[in-house]
Amino acid sequence: QLGVSITPVREAFQILNSEGLVKLRPNRGAKVCGINKKNIQDHFEMRAILESEAAAKVCQSGVDLSDILEAYNKAVEASKDNNAKEYTNYNQAFHVAIWNSAGNEKIKSVLSNMWSGLSMAVQVSEEEYAKLSMVEHEELMAALVNRDTRKARKLMRDHILRSMNDILTRFE
């Protein structure tokens, strides 16, 4: 009906199946599973594990932090200007800069595929979300600069799990 080749559609269904969003039934199509609390918890718990280790690897490696710092500073400016769209872009750039600086291509690849953007709670504006996130990013940036592996790992884990809890408020 849409004039799309079957190959990319089949590949898309394989991806959705691997993420638990559809259940493939051989020779019978696919069943949409939908998103539930368990999917969200699994997703964010995996992100917390990988991103906290990426932050720890940055501290341990002694790598140059200029890309992370640049993304952080741009996010700070966007937040101060109450520019939610720009903040969203720089929030992602901050996380991606950490993944890149960690030096593990597999972690970066998995996290890139998992990225889902902002994780706002019910009744929270984008501006409020940005301010809260920036406080967490500021603490994390300090831990990275001080090469405090333990603290960076914990702060990133807490940041991602807070995002998970924010999203879960939408299911209450």
Side-chain angles (χ1 to χ4, degrees):
Q1 285 180 331
L2 300 175
V4 177
S5 169
I6 193 143
T7 302
V9 173
R10 186 176 287 133
E11 290 172 0
F13 274 109
Q14 291 293 335
I15 292 168
L16 293 171
N17 182 63
S18 72
E19 293 178 0
L21 299 175
V22 299
K23 177 78 173 158
L24 295 179
R25 301 177 300 180
N27 301 317
R28 293 180 36 217
K31 178 185 173 202
V32 176
C33 298
I35 296 176
N36 58 39
K37 281 184 170 184
K38 179 76 169 118
N39 295 127
I40 291 168
Q41 288 170 326
D42 289 352
H43 176 89
F44 279 92
E45 286 171 0
M46 177 62 85
R47 270 191 63 198
I49 291 166
L50 294 174
E51 290 209 51
S52 64
E53 285 310 306
K57 287 179 75 55
V58 168
C59 292
Q60 294 163 349
S61 70
V63 69
D64 177 30
L65 300 177
S66 59
D67 289 344
I68 301 170
L69 193 56
E70 180 181 355
Y72 168 78
N73 287 332
K74 288 180 178 178
V76 167
E77 289 305 312
S79 179
K80 284 181 183 174
D81 294 341
N82 286 323
N83 187 336
K85 180 164 178 40
E86 284 296 309
Y87 176 78
T88 299
N89 294 335
Y90 293 125
N91 175 60
Q92 182 174 6
F94 176 73
H95 285 265
V96 170
I98 292 170
W99 310 341
N100 287 333
S101 296
N104 184 311
E105 288 300 315
K106 191 66 172 176
I107 289 175
K108 177 184 162 187
S109 175
V110 171
L111 286 170
S112 294
N113 288 329
M114 295 184 78
W115 183 260
S116 56
L118 297 179
S119 312
M120 293 177 15
V122 171
Q123 299 177 353
V124 173
S125 71
E126 289 182 359
E127 289 78 15
E128 291 169 322
Y129 176 86
K131 284 180 180 24
L132 172 60
S133 184
M134 281 310 307
V135 168
E136 295 169 348
H137 284 188
E138 179 180 8
E139 293 172 346
L140 178 57
M141 193 70 235
L144 294 172
V145 167
N146 293 325
R147 306 295 182 177
D148 187 335
T149 301
R150 192 177 108 308
K151 189 170 186 179
R153 182 182 283 126
K154 181 185 182 330
L155 289 169
M156 181 62 88
R157 179 176 171 73
D158 292 349
H159 177 62
I160 300 301
L161 294 179
R162 193 256 321 140
S163 291
M164 176 188 75
N165 289 327
D166 285 352
I167 284 255
L168 289 175
T169 65
R170 296 178 177 275
F171 283 87
E172 294 172 358

